[in-house]
Amino acid sequence: QLVESGGGSVQAGGSLRLSCAASGRTYSKWCMGWFRQISGKKREAVATIDSNGRTVYKNSVKGRFTISFDNAEKILYLEMNNLNGEDTALYRCASSWGMTAMAAFDRIAQDDFGYWGDGTQVTVS
């Protein structure tokens, strides 16, 4: 089970930190990440991380967003800085297994990726 939190409304240039609490079965080789979706538009991958600590980011968020995983607490984070209007979306976390961060980035927004949370809304004005 994945439960997101931390979304909200911020002004352009502001920051938010999203959290995703994970519970249930664990895998030695796992991958997790964030994707976002806007109503009526295609889902897009934002960032992924794997069990080796490798990370992959969408080009437009590089240098502004940071993905991390607290292994002790089983919480996935997405630190978002210098937000702009194009970052407005529903952010959902996802988890799977057996993939590197790069492979996960290519598949995270697909229906068969693994497990998804319900999402947390981020609105930038």
Side-chain angles (χ1 to χ4, degrees):
Q1 183 180 11
L2 301 171
V3 180
E4 302 95 334
S5 61
S9 297
V10 295
Q11 293 186 336
S15 299
L16 284 172
R17 187 176 77 160
L18 306 184
S19 300
C20 174
S23 61
R25 185 175 180 178
T26 59
Y27 298 87
S28 60
K29 187 176 180 181
W30 53 264
C31 52
M32 296 187 74
W34 296 89
F35 68 94
R36 61 191 184 189
Q37 59 187 114
I38 304 169
S39 179
K41 294 188 179 180
K42 186 181 177 180
R43 303 168 194 150
E44 58 180 25
V46 176
T48 54
I49 186 170
D50 64 27
S51 50
N52 286 318
R54 292 172 292 205
T55 58
V56 179
Y57 294 92
K58 178 179 174 61
N59 284 338
S60 64
V61 309
K62 285 180 181 177
R64 300 189 298 122
F65 291 12
T66 302
I67 189 171
S68 61
F69 183 71
D70 185 326
N71 200 46
E73 299 294 329
K74 298 293 188 287
I75 299 176
L76 180 72
Y77 295 102
L78 185 67
E79 185 77 34
M80 305 187 296
N81 298 309
N82 194 20
L83 288 160
N84 59 61
E86 293 183 350
D87 298 318
T88 294
L90 179 70
Y91 284 73
R92 303 177 71 175
C93 73
S95 68
S96 190
W97 55 94
M99 283 182 275
T100 65
M102 180 64 73
F105 190 86
D106 290 337
R107 293 186 55 190
I108 191 170
Q110 298 177 12
D111 291 343
D112 63 348
F113 177 75
Y115 300 100
W116 292 356
D118 290 333
T120 184
Q121 178 67 35
V122 172
T123 303
V124 185
S125 59

